[in-house]
Amino acid sequence: MAVAKTLALWVLAAVSLAGVGVRAQPSPEVQKRISAAIKKAGQSNSTEIDYTQFVNVFIGTDNFGDVCPGASVPFGMVKFSTDLTGYAPAGYITDPTQKIRGLSPLHDSGTGSSLGTYGNFEIMPMLCPGGFNSCKVLLADRERFRKNNTDDAYPGYFSQTLDNDIKMEATSTRRAGLERFTFPKGSGKPYFALDLANDLPASYVGGSMNIDPEQGRITIGGHWGSSFGPGIYSYQAFACYDILDGGKQKLSEYGVWTGMSDELFDAKGLGQTSLNLTRNLIGGVYESGALFSYEGEPTEINIRVGVSFVSVDQACANAESEVGTSSFEEIVAQSQALWNEKLSKIEIDIKNTPANVTELLYSSLYRGSLTPNNATGETQGAFAGTTHPYFDSLYCSWDTFRTFYPLMSLHSPVEFAEIVDNYIDGWRKLGWMPECRANNLPGWTQGGSSADPIVGQFAMLYHNEASALGIDLDELYSAMLADAEINPPEWNTLGRQVNVYKQYGYVPFGVLDTQSVGRQTREGSRTLEYAFEDFALRQVALLLNKTDDVAKYTNRSLFYRNVWDPKVESDGFKGFAQKRWPNGTFAFTDPVDCSPNDSDDSRECSLQGDNVVGFYESSSWEYSWFAPHDTAHLIELMGGNSTFVKRLDHFFNAGYYLAGNEPSFQTPIGYHYANHPTNSVDRVREVVFTNFDITPAGLPGNDDQAAMGTLLVFHLLGLYPVPSTSQFLVLSPFTPKYTIHNSFLNVSTTVTVAGFNATSVQQTIPEGAAAYVKSVTFNNVTSPNRCHLDFYDVFRVGGELVIEVTADKASVDDCGAGLPESVSTGGFAAAR
C-alpha cells in the first residue's frame, strides 16, 4: 500500500506500511546533515559542490527495498556493511527488532534474493570477560542489537554501533577497504570472531583459513553457492585480513573455532592457526572461523581487508595496492572524490529545487552507479583470464534494460561500453549473453534475453563511437543473433526458447519441445519480451544495413500480437494478453490474477513451477500494456484513443498499477501515444508522490539494482527513454534547471524549465500552477512536437533545451506535429 504525500506533508518521519511492522530510523543526524547541506548549497554561489552531502544511502533499506547502504566506490566490487538477522538480502535493514551478526565486505544492492547474497567473511567485535574460551562466536550466540539512532553512512563510509557501545566503521576502494572498531574505554580486552563458513544464504561448500600471527594476517578462501541460480553451481571467493595496522597493534591470543548452533556445539583451539573444512553433507552449516584479541586493552582497532575472486594472494595484493598505508580518513576522501565525479554528471539548480527532490535525485543517481560490481581482473570459471571488462551482479537484465542503462547512456558511456563488452564476452565464453548473473554465476532468466535491448541501446546511441569505446558492432550483433536464433539446450539461465517461438509465432503453453528444457511457464510474458528483444535486433540491423534482417525482426517484433485475445473481458474492457496452446486456442486466465486486486493470496506468480497465470511477477492487466515499440497498434487493439485513455485511467484508479514492477515503468506515460500528454504529467506526479520519499521505506519495494532509482531520476528530470531507440519522451521536470555532462562526448546539455512553478511539484498539480509542456526548444529552434525528442538532436550535440510549461492544461493537451514513434505507423524507420 502506498502512502500519499504532498510537498508540504513530505515529512521525515518513518512511514509504516501495511505488513512490514515496526520501523527504525538511522541516526537523526543523517537527515539533519543532508538538509543542512542542501540549504547551504542553495545559499552559496560556489561552484565547488560536494554532491555526496545530498545522498541518503538509507533510502530503500526498509519496505523490502533491499538497498545496501554500505561503504563502496562507484561500481565497487566490495560494499562494506553489517549483516542482520531476518529478511535482509543486502545485509543491512533498519528494522530495530533484528540483530547484528557481523560486518562483511561483499554485498549486492537492490536484489530480491530472499536468503540474501554474499555476506562472506563476517567479522564481529566482542567483549569476553571470561577470556578466549568464553567468547560467543556462533552466529546465534554473538548476535547483538544496535544502539538505537546511531546508524550512519554516506557515500564511501558506513557506521553502526552495537548496544554494548562498540562502534564499527568501514570505508572502501574497489576491491579492498578499512574497518575501524572503537571500544568503550575501560571495557577490557577487545576480541574478534572472523568467519570462514558463514554467508547470508548459508551456502558454504568448503574452504580454508590460515592465521599468520607473526605477519598479523588472516587469509580465507572457499566456495559458496548462488543466491539466485541453480544450486549445482558454486563460486570461489578469497579474503585477506591484516590485523596489526602496520605494527601499531599487537596480538594477544589467537586461534580457531568450529561449531553448530542447533547442536549447541562450540569448540575452540587456542594457538591453532588453520582450518580446512568441506561441506557438511548431512545438512546445516558447520560454522567456523578465527578468534583473536589484542594486548593492552586498546580502544581503537584498525583492520585492512582485501577481497578477490581469484586467489588469497590477489586478495592481499588488492589490499596492499588499493589501501596500502593510507589512513581511514584518506580512503574516505578518495572514495568521496570518485562519487563526486559521478554525481556531478547531473547538476541541478539546488537553490530553486524543492529540497526533497534534490535529496531524491542524488540518492537515486548514487544507486544508479552502485551496481553492477566491477570485478575486472577478478574472473573465474569460463571467464578466467579474460582480457575484457568483467562485471558481477547483473541481476537482472530484465530489470535494468528499461531505465538503468538508458540513464547511464546519457552521462557515462565509458562505463556503459565496459558493461556492454562484458555482455558480449558472455556470448564469447558461453554462447549467449547473460540475462542474470549472481555471485559470478548464471542466474535465473525472467523474461528472455534482456541483454539484447541493453546492447541495442548502446548501439543506437554510440554506434559512431563504438570503436573508440572498445566495441565491435559486428561482434555485438553476432551476440544478439545467438540469443535470437540459437536455442540453448537448457534455457532457464541463458538465451530463449526460440525454437518453438519461431515455429508458432509465440511461446506456446504446454508445448512438446524435444530439443531443450526449461521451466515452461510465463508463456504470455515471455512472448511479449521475446518480441521486444527482436525489436532490439531490428534496430541494430538497421544500423548495419542488414535489409533482410530488418524485415525479419520487424515481423518478429510484432509477435506480441499473437498472444492478444480480443474476446477476454475484465472490468468492462475487452482484449488482453493470454497464454496460448500450440493448436492456436487461448488458455484463459483471469487478467486480475497476480495483480494487487487478486483475491487469492496463495497464487504463485514468479518462477515457481505452479505459476499457471502465464506472466512473470505480473498480471495480464499489467503486461497487456507492454509493447514499447508499437504502442500505436496497441491502442488499436484496445479500441482506439478514447477507450485506451479510459482503460489507462481505470488501470491506475482501480489499483492494478504497480510502481515497483518493471512492466509498468512506461505505463504512466502511455497517454502520450493517445495524444493526451498532460495526463501523463499528472500521472507521473501522482506516481512519484505516492511511491517514493526520503525515508528508509521510500521505495515501492525492491530497488532492483536501481531500476527504481533510475526510473525516479527520469521522472524528476521530465524524461522517459524508449529502450533500444534514441527517443526520449518529454514530461514536466521537478526542477527548474539541470545540466547533464557527457565527458566522453565532451558536451553538456542544459535543460531549463521556462515558467517553472515549485507549487506544481506535488501529488496533485494545483489549479493555476504551470506544469504542462507548451513547447520544446533546443538551441533556439522550437520543435514541431512537444512529446518527444531524439538523443542525436539534443544530448549528442549539447546546448540548451528549453521546456516551456503552462497552467493552461487544455490548450496543450496534444503532442503537436507528431506522436511518439511506433513500428506500425512507420516509426523507427531509419538509424541516426
Side-chain angles (χ1 to χ4, degrees):
M1 180 182 72
V3 179
K5 301 175 188 68
T6 64
L7 182 63
L9 297 178
W10 208 337
V11 295
L12 304 181
V15 180
S16 181
L17 301 182
V20 293
V22 180
R23 293 300 162 214
Q25 289 288 296
S27 167
E29 297 304 313
V30 172
Q31 191 55 60
K32 289 180 181 178
R33 181 176 66 231
I34 295 170
S35 298
I38 293 172
K39 182 178 180 180
K40 182 179 179 181
Q43 295 172 341
S44 173
N45 293 321
S46 174
T47 57
E48 296 297 321
I49 299 175
D50 180 3
Y51 289 91
T52 67
Q53 298 178 95
F54 310 146
V55 174
N56 185 341
V57 301
F58 290 103
I59 293 174
T61 56
D62 193 5
N63 191 32
F64 307 104
D66 305 332
V67 167
C68 178
S72 180
V73 298
F75 308 110
M77 196 177 87
V78 299
K79 294 168 178 57
F80 283 83
S81 173
T82 46
D83 298 316
L84 282 87
T85 56
Y87 177 83
Y92 174 93
I93 49 173
T94 58
D95 188 345
T97 66
Q98 300 302 323
K99 294 181 177 181
I100 300 166
R101 47 184 265 180
L103 173 71
S104 65
L106 289 175
H107 296 93
D108 284 324
S109 183
T111 66
S113 176
S114 59
L115 295 176
T117 175
Y118 286 124
N120 318 59
F121 317 128
E122 287 180 358
I123 190 169
M124 186 67 169
M126 57 186 64
L127 298 170
C128 308
F132 187 91
N133 286 320
S134 72
C135 289
K136 304 293 186 182
V137 293
L138 299 180
L139 287 178
D141 299 332
R142 77 193 193 200
E143 297 163 354
R144 299 198 69 98
F145 289 109
R146 78 194 78 197
K147 185 175 182 179
N148 287 336
N149 301 316
T150 61
D151 297 3
D152 192 13
Y154 47 83
Y157 173 83
F158 177 84
S159 169
Q160 194 166 38
T161 301
L162 302 174
D163 62 357
N164 60 2
D165 286 325
I166 298 175
K167 183 177 183 180
M168 302 180 289
E169 300 172 276
T171 186
S172 74
T173 62
R174 180 167 75 92
R175 299 173 295 178
L178 289 173
E179 299 173 338
R180 182 164 67 189
F181 303 88
T182 304
F183 289 73
K185 188 175 181 180
S187 59
K189 182 184 292 187
Y191 282 83
F192 292 85
L194 175 60
D195 292 344
L196 163 61
N198 296 324
D199 69 333
L200 287 173
S203 67
Y204 179 71
V205 178
S208 62
M209 170 183 277
N210 291 283
I211 304 171
D212 184 336
E214 299 301 321
Q215 190 178 7
R217 173 169 283 181
I218 300 175
T219 53
I220 314 168
H223 287 79
W224 289 264
S226 173
S227 60
F228 191 70
I232 62 171
Y233 298 143
S234 65
Y235 69 93
Q236 62 183 19
F238 305 88
C240 179
Y241 278 70
D242 289 314
I243 59 178
L244 297 185
D245 194 16
K248 300 173 188 175
Q249 299 160 178
K250 188 174 182 180
L251 280 180
S252 174
E253 303 156 293
Y254 56 86
V256 298
W257 57 271
T258 62
M260 293 189 73
S261 295
D262 57 351
E263 296 179 7
L264 302 178
F265 164 48
D266 174 0
K268 302 181 180 72
L270 179 63
Q272 294 192 37
T273 59
S274 65
L275 290 168
N276 191 347
L277 299 171
T278 187
R279 185 204 309 258
N280 184 18
L281 294 179
I282 202 169
V285 173
Y286 197 77
E287 296 185 38
S288 54
L291 178 64
F292 55 95
S293 63
Y294 292 89
E295 286 190 1
E297 298 187 9
T299 57
E300 182 176 292
I301 296 294
N302 292 285
I303 295 176
R304 187 179 70 181
V305 183
V307 174
S308 174
F309 293 129
V310 172
S311 68
V312 160
D313 289 343
Q314 185 152 320
C316 294
N318 291 342
E320 291 162 358
S321 63
E322 295 184 10
V323 176
T325 59
S326 298
S327 69
F328 191 94
E329 288 73 20
E330 287 171 336
I331 297 299
V332 170
Q334 291 172 22
S335 179
Q336 286 191 294
L338 292 173
W339 278 115
N340 267 309
E341 189 275 333
K342 189 59 62 184
L343 295 169
S344 63
K345 296 286 188 181
I346 300 181
E347 296 182 87
I348 68 170
D349 177 358
I350 297 171
K351 180 178 181 180
N352 296 300
T353 299
N356 51 1
V357 172
T358 299
E359 185 172 342
L360 277 175
L361 189 142
Y362 284 105
S363 300
S364 301
L365 190 62
Y366 164 80
R367 298 199 310 279
S369 293
L370 193 57
T371 57
N373 307 339
N374 187 349
T376 300
E378 297 291 342
T379 52
Q380 57 185 278
F383 295 90
T386 183
T387 57
H388 296 271
Y390 178 83
F391 286 77
D392 181 31
S393 303
L394 296 176
Y395 26 168
C396 280
S397 306
W398 180 84
D399 298 307
T400 52
F401 81 80
R402 305 162 208 265
T403 56
F404 183 90
Y405 290 107
L407 181 63
M408 187 182 293
S409 73
L410 291 180
H411 61 71
S412 296
V414 172
E415 288 88 342
F416 189 17
E418 291 175 345
I419 295 170
V420 166
D421 195 8
N422 163 75
Y423 272 102
I424 297 170
D425 206 35
W427 162 74
R428 296 184 192 108
K429 303 299 192 296
L430 300 175
W432 296 269
M433 289 188 285
E435 152 61 15
C436 201
R437 180 180 292 156
N439 311 100
N440 294 281
L441 302 169
W444 300 119
T445 293
Q446 299 178 96
S449 53
S450 297
D452 296 325
I454 292 173
V455 302
Q457 178 82 27
F458 174 84
M460 292 304 295
L461 269 55
Y462 289 99
H463 58 92
N464 293 318
E465 296 81 20
S467 179
L469 287 164
I471 302 299
D472 182 327
L473 286 182
D474 290 324
E475 197 176 31
L476 179 150
Y477 188 61
S478 294
M480 298 178 79
L481 283 174
D483 286 344
E485 299 296 339
I486 303 175
N487 200 123
E490 205 279 353
W491 42 265
N492 280 314
T493 61
L494 289 170
R496 316 184 214 165
Q497 192 185 13
V498 292
N499 54 353
V500 296
Y501 171 71
K502 291 189 293 184
Q503 179 182 350
Y504 293 94
Y506 56 93
V507 179
F509 169 58
V511 69
L512 174 64
D513 184 348
T514 62
Q515 301 299 316
S516 66
V517 298
R519 178 151 285 172
Q520 292 202 36
T521 59
R522 302 154 288 139
E523 297 84 1
S525 59
R526 282 197 288 137
T527 297
L528 297 172
E529 297 285 356
Y530 286 14
F532 186 70
E533 289 151 10
D534 285 337
F535 171 73
L537 270 92
R538 178 254 194 200
Q539 294 291 87
V540 180
L542 265 175
L543 290 175
L544 300 177
N545 296 314
K546 296 182 180 294
T547 308
D548 290 345
D549 282 0
V550 171
K552 176 181 181 179
Y553 292 111
T554 297
N555 179 59
R556 276 175 48 170
S557 78
L558 303 181
F559 280 6
Y560 75 91
R561 302 176 184 180
N562 295 339
V563 291
W564 187 266
D565 186 347
K567 297 179 181 179
V568 174
E569 184 171 344
S570 180
D571 294 2
F573 295 94
K574 294 189 71 174
F576 287 86
Q578 294 279 287
K579 61 184 183 180
R580 196 170 184 180
W581 293 97
N583 66 7
T585 59
F586 287 98
F588 173 78
T589 57
D590 191 329
V592 176
D593 290 354
C594 289
S595 77
N597 298 333
D598 189 348
S599 60
D600 186 352
D601 293 335
S602 65
R603 194 185 313 280
E604 301 290 9
C605 302
S606 188
L607 291 174
Q608 301 91 345
D610 54 348
N611 172 3
V612 298
V613 175
F615 299 91
Y616 177 70
E617 291 187 352
S618 188
S619 65
S620 178
W621 251 109
E622 186 174 28
Y623 241 121
S624 292
W625 300 102
F626 185 73
H629 58 301
D630 199 29
T631 305
H633 187 74
L634 195 63
I635 291 174
E636 292 181 25
L637 291 174
M638 291 187 178
N641 275 10
S642 178
T643 303
F644 182 84
V645 170
K646 290 176 183 177
R647 182 164 169 166
L648 259 182
D649 287 340
H650 181 77
F651 175 71
F652 288 97
N653 298 337
Y656 290 113
Y657 171 72
L658 281 172
N661 205 20
E662 282 73 10
S664 278
F665 275 15
Q666 190 168 325
T667 314
I669 307 105
Y671 299 98
H672 272 50
Y673 292 86
N675 209 27
H676 288 286
T678 62
N679 292 28
S680 297
V681 171
D682 286 334
R683 194 63 74 183
V684 167
R685 287 288 204 275
E686 177 188 67
V687 165
V688 169
F689 282 92
T690 56
N691 293 282
F692 298 90
D693 64 38
I694 54 176
T695 69
L699 295 179
N702 187 7
D703 196 30
D704 282 334
Q705 288 218 269
M708 300 301 136
T710 50
L711 170 67
L712 180 59
V713 171
F714 274 120
H715 283 338
L716 298 179
L717 297 181
L719 299 170
Y720 187 85
V722 181
S724 289
T725 78
S726 55
Q727 187 166 108
F728 289 81
L729 306 181
V730 178
L731 292 147
S732 181
F734 288 52
T735 176
K737 187 176 183 178
Y738 63 87
T739 300
I740 298 178
H741 301 287
N742 189 321
S743 56
F744 175 78
L745 294 177
N746 196 29
V747 299
S748 296
T749 304
T750 297
V751 179
T752 301
V753 183
F756 177 81
N757 187 332
T759 64
S760 75
V761 185
Q762 54 181 296
Q763 180 180 336
T764 302
I765 299 170
E767 187 175 351
Y772 305 103
V773 179
K774 182 179 181 180
S775 65
V776 176
T777 301
F778 184 67
N779 289 345
N780 299 315
V781 178
T782 300
S783 171
N785 82 79
R786 47 178 167 253
C787 282
H788 61 91
L789 53 82
D790 195 277
F791 173 84
Y792 284 91
D793 295 331
V794 179
F795 299 108
R796 178 64 184 81
V797 294
E800 184 170 13
L801 177 69
V802 178
I803 300 175
E804 182 184 8
V805 295
T806 178
D808 188 354
K809 180 177 179 180
S811 69
V812 294
D813 192 24
D814 63 78
C815 287
L819 295 174
E821 295 180 49
S822 291
V823 170
S824 60
T825 55
F828 312 116
R832 297 295 299 271

